[in-house]
Amino acid sequence: MSNRLNTTPNDLRAFWMPFTANRQFKQNPRMMVAAKDMHFTSSDGRQILDGTAGLWCVNAGHCRPKITEAIRQQAGELDYAPAFQMGHPKAFELANRLVDIAPEGMNHVLFTNSGSESVETALKVALAYHRTKGEGARSRLIGRERGYHGVNFGGISVGGIVSNRKMFGTLLTGVDHMPHTHLPDQNAFTKGQPEHGGDIASELERIVTLHDASTIAAVIVEPIAGSTGVLIPPKGYLKKLREICTKHGILLIFDEVITGFGRLGSPFAAQHYDVMPDIITTAKGLTNGVIPMGAVFVTSEIHDAFMQGPEHMIEFMHGYTYSGNPIASAAALATLDTYKEEGLLTRAADIAPYWEEQLHSLKDCPHVIDIRNTGLIGAIELEPIAGEPTKRAFSAFLRAYEDGLLIRTTGDIIALSPPLIISKDQIDELFDKVRKVLEGID
Ligand code: PXG
């Protein structure tokens, strides 16, 4: 084998790893050194089936030739061009290609470098939009309990995951939260959208009444709450949110960082659920996870509201050094080509029934208290060990890795979201491994 397998560094102290139990990891590191299609190669030379598409991002599978080659070529041709007051063709081409697959009316795109930046960008667009329309009093932002919108200050303010918020002071002011929609007593083991909980959307009406609509800029939700453990919207819930926002002139933002680019069997969740937001945030699958990049889609109405005043003036005081970076744009274009050639933006719809059946066959496994799914997403919720929350799922994660499978866990929930190229045989293999893991842990 090539000597790249022998790459475990002997000093792991300097890198303070993100969202990681650093001390545990550094005692027993889990290093990936290569990847191809559905598998990683670990530094000890094992093949690890990717049950999570990296972190929900490698939708076309790993090291896809077209994407690799596009990056190689672009790096040698135009490495960087200034992003402000200058342009390069691929960013414009990419924006057009994105608009083509986006829900109708989402005609403009702002580029970012991550999901977190997409969220900040969307919140700022929403606030500035109302101000340009003479409604500057609309400054409140409404999120949801258990929501995840990245780790920057706007995102954790509208987010609803306590552990991600509590260390960081008062956050943004003027933020309120709707209740989450997780009703395990009524909805456990539901396949697809739960029957119960659609009416929780009317809590938004209560919040609007409390603050008055004239003070509220936007509502932001993940169509499916991913990071908090896969909470699928109850029937009617998203439509009801849309109705309330429309009635009160409030912008609706869908954070599609996870659901964008085919995860549910449509390019975006907005199309899957047939509910049109005003702004969509994306990242991850946009470049197949290969190069950091995000995109925020807005309607013409929002975009056009900014296009006024003297033409030499900058219309929106926001952007990043790397917005629409040439290499990221090339990677994204090649990713969209790959998705198109292989039908990946809709493939999840074809394979979802098989996925669902195999996933729910784990119902009789030890510790399982709920299973939920949609598209190529699955979650298995485990009974926590008394007094030691998260420990059981973390043991499952470690055991799965030893057995050659990468899963994600959050709390005591196992989340699964493989690359969209997964075969039926690989689905069988994945769930066989999960069953053995559950049977093997305390
Ligand atoms: N919004 C949503 C809905 C996300 O899921 C972000 C924003 C932030 O994206 P960046 O690119 O800034 O990380 C995310 C990220 C997990 C997991 O296992 C989920 C995310 C990231 C890492 C792990 O659930 N989501």
Side-chain angles (χ1 to χ4, degrees):
M1 279 296 314
S2 84
N3 64 5
R4 74 179 171 201
L5 291 183
N6 185 21
T7 52
T8 301
N10 57 14
D11 189 344
L12 309 182
R13 283 174 299 181
F15 179 22
W16 189 348
M17 298 170 68
F19 275 117
T20 295
N22 274 253
R23 289 159 302 162
Q24 193 281 344
F25 180 93
K26 289 170 190 182
Q27 279 163 32
N28 197 1
R30 298 171 291 279
M31 297 278 193
M32 307 299 199
V33 294
K36 186 72 197 138
D37 299 330
M38 283 297 300
H39 291 88
F40 289 103
T41 307
S42 60
S43 59
D44 51 358
R46 294 178 306 121
Q47 289 296 293
I48 313 283
L49 182 64
D50 185 356
T52 59
L55 287 175
W56 308 81
C57 50
V58 187
N59 287 4
H62 294 271
C63 287
R64 301 307 309 273
K66 204 163 213 167
I67 305 171
T68 311
E69 189 46 37
I71 293 168
R72 221 191 290 276
Q73 266 192 23
Q74 187 63 43
E77 186 180 303
L78 174 67
D79 52 353
Y80 180 80
F84 304 167
Q85 306 284 20
M86 298 291 291
H88 68 91
K90 285 208 171 71
F92 293 90
E93 187 188 344
L94 175 59
N96 289 333
R97 291 275 302 276
L98 288 169
V99 165
D100 286 346
I101 59 166
E104 217 183 309
M106 292 279 161
N107 292 331
H108 299 276
V109 178
L110 301 97
F111 287 119
T112 73
N113 309 288
S114 67
S116 296
E117 286 183 1
S118 289
V119 167
E120 304 303 301
T121 299
L123 298 177
K124 287 174 74 177
V125 166
L127 293 169
Y129 165 75
H130 289 297
R131 215 183 127 110
T132 61
K133 301 240 307 175
E135 290 193 65
R138 287 191 183 264
S139 60
R140 287 184 193 278
L141 300 166
I142 312 294
R144 189 170 59 188
E145 295 166 359
R146 294 188 69 158
Y148 183 68
H149 300 291
V151 291
N152 293 344
F153 269 102
I156 58 173
S157 301
V158 292
I161 298 180
V162 183
S163 51
N164 292 359
R165 294 162 51 88
K166 69 181 180 193
M167 306 302 279
F168 308 110
T170 54
L171 312 181
L172 283 188
T173 56
V175 172
D176 209 340
H177 292 79
M178 300 180 288
H180 65 71
T181 62
H182 191 42
L183 301 174
D185 290 348
Q186 294 166 61
N187 290 327
F189 298 102
T190 296
K191 296 177 173 168
Q193 284 192 272
E195 287 298 329
H196 305 282
D199 49 349
I200 297 173
S202 53
E203 285 293 307
L204 175 59
E205 194 72 71
R206 195 182 56 76
I207 292 172
V208 171
T209 306
L210 175 67
H211 298 295
D212 196 77
S214 66
T215 71
I216 302 176
V219 167
I220 180 166
V221 289
E222 302 156 86
I224 292 170
S227 284
T228 190
V230 182
L231 311 183
I232 292 151
K235 288 185 181 159
Y237 175 83
L238 293 173
K239 274 205 158 64
K240 180 93 186 161
L241 282 190
R242 175 70 274 180
E243 280 165 25
I244 298 170
C245 287
T246 303
K247 179 171 141 197
H248 295 293
I250 298 167
L251 296 179
L252 179 61
I253 305 170
F254 276 180
D255 184 347
E256 295 225 32
V257 167
I258 276 176
T259 51
F261 303 102
R263 182 59 48 201
L264 303 184
S266 305
F268 297 93
Q271 293 146 331
H272 181 76
Y273 291 121
D274 193 22
V275 176
M276 292 308 141
D278 302 290
I279 302 178
I280 294 178
T281 55
T282 68
K284 293 189 188 274
L286 169 58
T287 57
N288 205 34
V290 178
I291 299 265
M293 188 180 220
V296 178
F297 295 78
V298 303
T299 58
S300 295
E301 191 187 334
I302 292 175
H303 168 268
D304 294 351
F306 286 84
M307 299 300 136
Q308 49 175 306
E311 288 195 2
H312 70 282
M313 296 292 286
I314 295 168
E315 294 99 356
F316 182 42
M317 286 292 180
H318 179 79
Y320 302 99
T321 302
Y322 304 116
S323 294
N325 170 279
I327 298 177
S329 298
L333 284 166
T335 298
L336 294 182
D337 286 343
T338 304
Y339 290 158
K340 192 169 177 189
E341 282 161 21
E342 301 179 16
L344 295 180
L345 294 180
T346 52
R347 180 165 190 268
D350 301 333
I351 197 125
Y354 191 75
W355 170 261
E356 175 177 279
E357 192 187 311
Q358 300 308 308
L359 173 71
H360 281 268
S361 76
L362 300 176
K363 189 172 178 176
D364 63 334
C365 286
H367 320 300
V368 174
I369 56 172
D370 187 15
I371 295 180
R372 31 191 196 266
N373 69 288
T374 186
L376 261 178
I377 303 179
I380 305 163
E381 183 148 3
L382 307 180
E383 173 94 54
I385 297 173
E388 294 183 298
T390 77
K391 197 169 173 190
R392 178 165 278 146
F394 192 56
S395 304
F397 166 74
L398 295 175
R399 176 65 71 99
Y401 182 69
E402 277 170 31
D403 292 354
L405 172 66
L406 185 68
I407 61 174
R408 265 301 279 171
T409 64
T410 170
D412 275 295
I413 302 161
I414 295 173
L416 297 164
S417 55
L420 306 174
I421 58 169
I422 193 169
S423 68
K424 284 188 174 172
D425 284 351
Q426 287 162 335
I427 292 177
D428 293 347
E429 183 192 338
L430 191 159
F431 290 125
D432 281 351
K433 285 193 150 100
V434 174
R435 173 175 287 279
K436 288 202 187 88
V437 165
L438 293 175
E439 287 170 354
I441 56 167
D442 290 335

